[in-house]
Amino acid sequence: MINNKMAPILKWAGGKGQLIDLIVENMPRTYNRYFEPFIGGSAVLLALMPKNAYINDINKQLINLYKQIKKSPNKVLEYVENLDNELCNKEKYYENRDRFNEKILKKELDVECAALMIWLNKHCFNGLYRVNGKGLFNVPYNNKKNVKSVDEKNISAIGTYLKENNIEICCKDFEEFCENVKKGDFVYFDSPYISESDTAKFTDYTKEGFSMEDHKRLAKLYRKLDKIGAKVMLSNNDVKLVYELYKGYNIKPIEVKRMINRNALKRFGREVIITNY
Ligand SMILES: C[S@@+](CC[C@H](N)C(=O)[O-])C[C@H]1O[C@@H](n2cnc3c(N)ncnc32)[C@H](O)[C@@H]1O
């Protein structure tokens, strides 16, 4: 069953909001624990609300955000509201962006870092999260002045859900994170996609990016988890390489509308859902 009570806090490239029904329809009926190694905006987790879940992402600031919300949603709210109460203009935007980048450089993973991440997501161009070669956030201002960055009820509901269930929040590379998966567990992989063209740059979520080697490593891990008896589902673009990497599994093509793409012609595309059950 899908829950509509909570929504992602951040707009996130590759967010699964519009595909939730299809994703959930294709999940196994029963399983032990839920694993999501590339949690991103967490649209799937929040719709599914599993009671025993392990979530993960390599983005340290994103994981800090979930940890802070689990610890104290009210504190996060307080900090975001303080940011919202200041008049926003170009100068303010770049001042807050610099503060966030200072936190990245000093590795300060605290409540202020979480609040700045939410605020920037609502005030930056297209709600993108993109970093430069040094790992610093470099998305420009969206020129909006009076934006409310959070929905209090939503943040509180997410905080309660994370606290009252067994939700373990990790910040590792996906392969290391999956060492904990056992027979009967369910893993949903929503990695950065294999690009359809070399111009698709919005998969550079981290300064490390996600290379072709990573895609091969992921396919190998998929087979390994299949062998140990886990149930595994994976989303990706409908491209030839995906059929080669996941040969032998169920590969189901689906039509999608793309939210983040500068080129209007590329706003429609085909993806696949791959399952081993
Ligand atoms: C397509 S997004 C996930 C979107 C998510 N399903 C949603 O609904 O928002 C992919 C995520 O993978 C993360 N990522 C990239 N490389 C990774 C790695 N090696 N290990 C774990 N996470 C990684 C990125 O930080 C990004 O958040």
Side-chain angles (χ1 to χ4, degrees):
M1 237 211 0
I2 294 180
N3 149 67
N4 296 315
K5 275 187 253 145
M6 298 182 287
I9 299 161
L10 303 177
K11 188 172 169 190
W12 204 251
K16 284 290 166 288
Q18 48 140 355
L19 285 176
I20 290 293
D21 292 348
L22 258 175
I23 302 238
V24 173
E25 249 170 54
N26 283 281
M27 285 185 176
R29 291 250 175 93
T30 58
Y31 50 86
N32 295 337
R33 301 172 303 169
Y34 177 78
F35 282 76
E36 204 177 329
F38 304 96
I39 193 73
S42 77
V44 179
L45 177 89
L46 298 178
L48 202 64
M49 284 181 74
K51 292 197 178 312
N52 294 300
Y54 289 75
I55 61 171
N56 178 71
D57 202 284
I58 205 158
N59 184 319
K60 294 188 183 77
Q61 286 68 37
L62 178 69
I63 288 304
N64 170 60
L65 168 61
Y66 294 130
K67 285 188 173 169
Q68 297 294 340
I69 290 174
K70 180 173 179 171
K71 195 159 100 187
S72 175
N74 289 339
K75 254 247 125 85
V76 177
L77 272 173
E78 191 189 311
Y79 272 77
V80 179
E81 276 162 6
N82 284 343
L83 290 168
D84 275 355
N85 286 339
E86 292 173 39
L87 182 74
C88 185
N89 53 27
K90 201 168 172 185
E91 209 185 339
K92 185 77 209 151
Y93 176 81
Y94 289 101
E95 193 185 297
N96 283 343
R97 197 179 84 170
D98 285 349
R99 266 165 73 195
F100 180 66
N101 281 331
E102 218 179 287
K103 297 242 159 222
I104 294 181
L105 283 171
K106 292 184 177 160
K107 300 188 171 61
E108 279 173 17
L109 296 166
D110 52 17
V111 62
E112 195 190 354
C113 181
L116 282 164
M117 190 173 194
I118 297 175
W119 186 91
L120 286 169
N121 185 260
K122 296 292 177 297
H123 292 83
C124 74
F125 178 73
N126 251 349
L128 286 172
Y129 192 89
R130 190 189 58 206
V131 291
N132 64 17
K134 290 181 184 147
L136 301 179
F137 183 75
N138 66 0
V139 183
Y141 182 34
N142 67 7
N143 287 318
K144 288 192 183 152
K145 305 235 170 327
N146 292 312
V147 186
K148 196 166 180 282
S149 303
V150 275
D151 171 342
E152 296 87 355
K153 277 198 187 138
N154 190 42
I155 293 237
S156 301
I158 295 174
T160 306
Y161 163 70
L162 294 174
K163 213 179 285 183
E164 292 184 354
N165 294 281
N166 288 320
I167 316 295
E168 191 147 328
I169 307 171
C170 308
C171 187
K172 296 177 180 171
D173 173 67
F174 66 89
E175 202 175 346
E176 190 191 345
F177 169 72
C178 285
E179 279 169 13
N180 189 11
V181 176
K182 299 207 163 57
K183 184 178 176 184
D185 290 336
F186 171 51
V187 188
Y188 171 48
F189 287 114
D190 185 24
S191 72
Y193 284 4
I194 295 178
S195 8
E196 288 169 282
S197 73
D198 291 334
T199 53
K201 287 263 189 294
F202 288 127
T203 43
D204 293 342
Y205 294 89
T206 61
K207 70 178 184 333
E208 293 83 12
F210 203 82
S211 65
M212 208 39 81
E213 270 321 301
D214 290 322
H215 281 292
K216 288 184 187 152
R217 207 156 57 83
L218 178 57
K220 211 168 145 196
L221 175 65
Y222 189 104
R223 289 184 192 278
K224 184 178 151 199
L225 295 174
D226 173 42
K227 275 209 189 88
I228 67 167
K231 298 178 186 179
V232 201
M233 180 163 110
L234 182 140
S235 301
N236 210 324
N237 270 331
D238 188 343
V239 291
K240 207 171 137 230
L241 184 65
V242 166
Y243 288 82
E244 286 166 22
L245 289 174
Y246 295 94
K247 203 171 165 188
Y249 294 112
N250 313 310
I251 305 183
K252 190 169 173 178
I254 52 169
E255 286 282 331
V256 291
K257 191 164 165 268
R258 298 261 155 82
M259 303 313 256
I260 299 180
N261 199 314
R262 277 183 290 191
N263 180 347
L265 289 172
K266 288 192 181 155
R267 285 191 180 144
F268 291 91
R270 267 161 75 94
E271 295 188 6
V272 290
I273 291 179
I274 305 170
T275 56
N276 71 334
Y277 44 87

